[in-house]
Amino acid sequence: MAEQFGYNAAQPTNGRKRRLWSILLLVIALLLLLVVAGGGYFYLNRSTPEKTLQTFCRALRRENYHEAYNQFSTSLQHTTSEKSFAEIFAQDKVTQCSYGATSEFAASTTTSLQLVHASQKKNSDFVTLVKDENNVWRIADVYRA
Amino acid sequence: MYGGLPMSIERRRGEMWLLLALLFVLSGCTLAPQAPAPVKRNIPTQARVHRLLLPAHQQLRDLTADFAADRSGADTGIPVVAGERVVILAAGTAPQAGKTLGPAGDLTCHQPSLPEPTLPCYSVLYSIGLTGRAETVGTQHDFVATSDGNIFLGVNAPTAPITTSAFQITILTIPIGTFAGVWTLPRDNFTEQGSTLTLAVKAFAQQNMISRVVFTATRSGQPSSQICSAQVPGADGSTYACTWDMATGPSIAGNGPITFGFTITSARGKELANPDGVRAGVARYVFTQSNDIYAGYAAVSIRQSSSIQFEQVTGRWLVPEAHCVAGEDSQVAIWSGMTGLSDTSKLAQLGSLSACEGGTPTYSVGWEMFPEPLVILPNRVQPGDTITASVSFHAGQFQLVMDDAQQGWHFSIDQAGVIADTAIAECIVEAPTITTTGPGVNRSMVARLTNFGSVGVSCHTNKGPIGNGAQNVLYQMNTDDGTTKATTSQLDHDGSNFTVQWKHG
């Protein structure tokens, strides 16, 4: 009888527990999903050297020299004014811009950068990118290959 | 049922981990991300010498070289790595702010408006990398790189109109354990004459020692010869110089085009030949003789030989005008000729004579087999006429030939001669010796030298320009008391042309 009572008494308790477990698991799963989705969103939208170079190249091709100049680090911007930077391209616009592989797992990364001008003449350079104080990758140095 | 609940939880737990793992993978994360191979600078193993011109208007912080297709900028494209020794040499001047300034710029000037306010105005600057610290170069700057980067060069000047002036820049990059050197003297395409010639290089080592620098010379068609060496640098610690006695070594075989090289030997016995290439030019062993009757050049063959040394000598000049003062008696003779080395040699010569007779200019032409008397020709000649006079030797005969292009006459005469009198070929401007003979009179005196202004003489032997082939004697016309009567210029690069300038009668 006690066993039976016990059995009978335990049945609603187990059911509640199961529901509680299910709710708890669902909440945890949702939270995890939220965290993962949020993390994924921020991860996918994080700054990378490649994105910086992509923006730089796209801006040059579109003659948006302000945006291209903004991909420079502060110290590089101190060496050349935006006006001077824009003047460099004024006479022979950039029609193609390509770059080599980059790595975001070090403090800085250096890669190749090729520019093809409207005159069909080319520049082959190396660019070094570093993260600024806001964790944004910027072009910090440029030099002839 | 009891056993079913835990099984269900286990299953869901497993599903949850699977979901998380899936999300983790889908989010792009990998536990061991594959980083692309980074771009690395090649570690240099050899020293290099770079030469370039730096426009005086080029600023240091200029991206043009990197981003423009046609224009140069501050980026030299010369890479250095940390630990490498770098030597930058700068030369030349540029007009800046009303002054003519060298690479050091205006040391008294510092302007806040300049790109580098704390460094001298208009000084040549360098930096390692575009954003590296700017430093002055001066005429020589020597340092060990502390970071990797390209060498950038510029001038600490405001934005200025483009000028044609430029500084000559030499950059040596010397990796650890290596050494290098660059020429200082002579300059490329040099023309040097005299009895000695100084050769010098600047040599540098990085974590190595220089034991000696050996200089070599090569004449066309001959093997290279060591001519001198230097083991101790000069006061600047980098210049290795030696003086070549041109009477020794390959000059014996003849004057003219020559190529110099140098080899640096390190303390470890390693040799580096011609790291800055060779220097090609003209070197002539020229012995200067001062006397009171001759100016001009002679080519001297000192070889003991029974064969003909010079087959021909030809001089060409414009008959100079005689500038006479009232009552002046003076003469100047210009001639080409051949003679020997002994006191009994005859001198076969012919040329023109510009003179003042009682203050009146006179002009004539003549020939002579000295010491036999001068023969004046009846041919007409005027100042400004082009005279071509040659003496040649063949089959025991000297042939003396002269032409006046303006008057249109041609003169030729043959005279007996000996092979020994072909050892010297010369083109001379002379204050003639006047011998007066007569009853009870037999005296010789050097004529007063007519003021002829200057005369350019072109002189060749059958072997080419008089300055190429044999050793030369340069005659300067001075009196015993030191008065300069006429000066003879250096031979030109070609070796055939020189100028004689009248100084005193």
Side-chain angles (χ1 to χ4, degrees):
Chain A
M1 208 44 206
E3 267 187 37
Q4 202 173 31
F5 174 81
Y7 177 76
N8 290 337
Q11 222 171 9
T13 308
N14 282 343
R16 274 202 304 277
K17 274 186 182 172
R18 229 182 359 251
R19 271 199 304 277
L20 277 172
W21 267 111
S22 295
I23 290 165
L24 192 63
L25 280 175
L26 194 64
V27 168
I28 289 169
L30 283 171
L31 279 174
L32 281 172
L33 196 64
L34 202 64
V35 166
V36 167
Y41 174 80
F42 284 111
Y43 181 78
L44 290 173
N45 284 290
R46 76 200 187 285
S47 173
T48 67
E50 188 176 356
K51 283 178 189 169
T52 300
L53 288 172
Q54 201 175 36
T55 306
F56 181 73
C57 280
R58 187 179 57 230
L60 282 184
R61 283 195 302 267
R62 293 177 180 175
E63 298 172 42
N64 184 351
Y65 302 126
H66 174 71
E67 189 175 7
Y69 185 76
N70 279 347
Q71 306 312 306
F72 283 178
S73 68
T74 309
S75 61
L76 190 54
Q77 286 182 342
H78 281 156
T79 66
T80 308
S81 68
E82 187 180 323
K83 183 171 174 282
S84 301
F85 175 74
E87 281 171 358
I88 293 173
F89 301 99
Q91 292 179 352
D92 198 1
K93 294 178 175 58
V94 172
T95 56
Q96 291 176 49
C97 177
S98 57
Y99 49 86
T102 58
S103 168
E104 59 181 302
F105 300 106
S108 70
T109 181
T110 298
T111 191
S112 58
L113 177 75
Q114 278 91 38
L115 302 181
V116 180
H117 296 260
S119 64
Q120 297 300 313
K121 289 173 180 161
K122 296 174 184 175
N123 287 106
S124 289
D125 298 308
F126 286 118
V127 287
T128 298
L129 296 98
V130 296
K131 274 185 190 174
D132 68 6
E133 63 280 5
N134 299 318
N135 271 337
V136 177
W137 286 90
R138 301 285 187 200
I139 298 169
D141 195 11
V142 184
Y143 55 94
R144 279 167 58 189
Chain B
M1 286 295 288
Y2 183 77
L5 183 64
M7 276 181 70
S8 172
I9 291 171
E10 279 295 319
R11 196 184 304 121
R12 288 183 185 180
R13 201 177 285 160
E15 284 168 2
M16 195 173 72
W17 281 118
L18 195 68
L19 179 71
L20 282 174
L22 191 66
L23 282 169
F24 192 67
V25 170
L26 285 175
S27 70
C29 290
T30 53
L31 290 173
Q34 285 278 315
V39 173
K40 283 186 179 173
R41 288 179 181 274
N42 293 327
I43 304 296
T45 55
Q46 285 188 324
R48 291 188 186 279
V49 177
H50 311 266
R51 284 206 161 79
L52 56 105
L53 288 175
L54 175 67
H57 60 265
Q58 175 62 56
Q59 292 192 313
L60 183 65
R61 310 302 188 187
D62 177 15
L63 285 162
T64 309
D66 304 299
F67 288 146
D70 272 338
R71 288 169 289 159
S72 61
D75 190 347
T76 64
I78 300 168
V80 294
V81 298
E84 212 172 352
R85 185 175 180 183
V86 181
V87 180
I88 306 176
L89 305 168
T93 58
Q96 304 274 28
K99 297 177 181 176
T100 300
L101 298 172
D106 186 349
L107 298 174
T108 63
C109 165
H110 297 82
Q111 287 182 4
S113 59
L114 290 178
E116 299 295 336
T118 60
L119 299 178
C121 309
Y122 308 107
S123 54
V124 174
L125 308 176
Y126 79 92
S127 67
I128 302 299
L130 184 59
T131 57
R133 184 179 160 179
E135 303 269 7
T136 54
V137 170
T139 54
Q140 178 175 332
H141 191 70
D142 186 349
F143 63 98
V144 175
T146 54
S147 61
D148 297 358
N150 278 9
I151 297 174
F152 282 67
L153 286 173
V155 176
N156 195 23
T159 305
I162 290 174
T163 71
T164 54
S165 299
F167 295 103
Q168 299 95 50
I169 306 290
T170 304
I171 298 175
L172 293 94
T173 51
I174 309 162
I176 291 169
T178 67
F179 47 96
V182 290
W183 281 106
T184 303
L185 289 173
R187 293 180 177 181
D188 204 17
N189 202 27
F190 58 87
T191 302
E192 299 282 349
Q193 70 176 54
S195 57
T196 61
L197 196 151
T198 299
L199 299 113
V201 298
K202 281 180 177 284
F204 307 89
Q206 170 65 337
Q207 296 183 17
N208 205 330
M209 294 276 285
I210 290 168
S211 167
R212 67 179 183 280
V213 178
V214 175
F215 293 90
T216 59
T218 312
R219 295 276 189 196
S220 177
Q222 296 176 31
S224 178
S225 307
Q226 288 189 10
I227 50 174
C228 61
S229 65
Q231 294 178 318
V232 180
D236 66 355
S238 59
T239 300
Y240 292 77
C242 70
T243 301
W244 172 38
D245 178 355
M246 293 167 72
T248 65
S251 74
I252 290 294
N255 286 347
I258 194 167
T259 301
F260 294 121
F262 70 91
T263 299
I264 305 173
T265 305
S266 74
R268 298 169 196 163
K270 196 175 173 188
E271 289 189 343
L272 180 64
N274 300 323
D276 191 24
V278 295
R279 283 283 157 103
V282 170
R284 299 187 176 96
Y285 176 73
V286 177
F287 176 75
T288 300
Q289 203 175 80
S290 180
N291 67 89
D292 66 348
I293 57 171
Y294 273 17
Y297 280 89
V300 182
S301 177
I302 59 171
R303 270 187 282 182
Q304 298 293 320
S305 173
S306 58
S307 60
I308 296 170
Q309 297 303 302
F310 292 102
E311 292 173 7
Q312 188 178 50
V313 60
T314 302
R316 182 177 288 117
W317 62 90
L318 302 183
V319 175
E321 187 176 352
H323 303 281
C324 307
V325 296
E328 177 181 339
D329 289 316
S330 61
Q331 292 183 6
V332 58
I334 304 164
W335 52 266
S336 53
M338 259 200 268
T339 188
L341 297 166
S342 78
D343 293 340
T344 58
S345 297
K346 281 192 173 181
L347 168 58
Q349 60 178 138
L350 77 170
S352 68
L353 198 69
S354 300
C356 298
E357 292 180 3
T360 303
T362 64
Y363 303 94
S364 58
V365 288
W367 65 273
E368 187 175 13
M369 289 296 289
F370 186 84
E372 292 164 23
L374 170 69
V375 178
I376 297 292
L377 298 171
N379 305 55
R380 177 183 163 82
V381 63
Q382 290 289 308
D385 287 1
T386 301
I387 297 292
T388 304
S390 67
V391 175
S392 52
F393 185 84
H394 179 68
Q397 293 277 322
F398 279 109
Q399 185 180 40
L400 292 78
V401 178
M402 186 157 49
D403 292 280
D404 184 322
Q406 281 70 32
Q407 306 299 331
W409 54 256
H410 170 81
F411 167 78
S412 177
I413 192 169
D414 289 350
Q415 293 287 304
V418 294
I419 285 174
D421 290 348
T422 63
I424 299 173
E426 53 194 350
C427 292
I428 299 297
V429 175
E430 179 182 7
T433 300
I434 299 167
T435 303
T436 308
T437 56
V441 180
N442 187 1
R443 61 191 171 99
S444 295
M445 61 173 290
V446 176
R448 179 178 176 180
L449 185 68
T450 300
N451 179 358
F452 58 89
S454 70
V455 60
V457 180
S458 172
C459 191
H460 288 79
T461 72
N462 56 296
K463 297 171 182 173
I466 192 169
N468 294 357
Q471 295 184 29
N472 293 108
V473 176
L474 182 164
Y475 296 109
Q476 297 288 13
M477 201 189 301
N478 303 310
T479 61
D480 290 341
D481 64 7
T483 304
T484 301
K485 293 171 73 176
T487 58
T488 307
S489 74
Q490 291 217 329
L491 287 163
D492 67 353
H493 187 75
D494 170 63
S496 59
N497 298 298
F498 63 91
T499 301
V500 177
Q501 176 85 44
W502 180 88
K503 293 293 181 186
H504 198 275

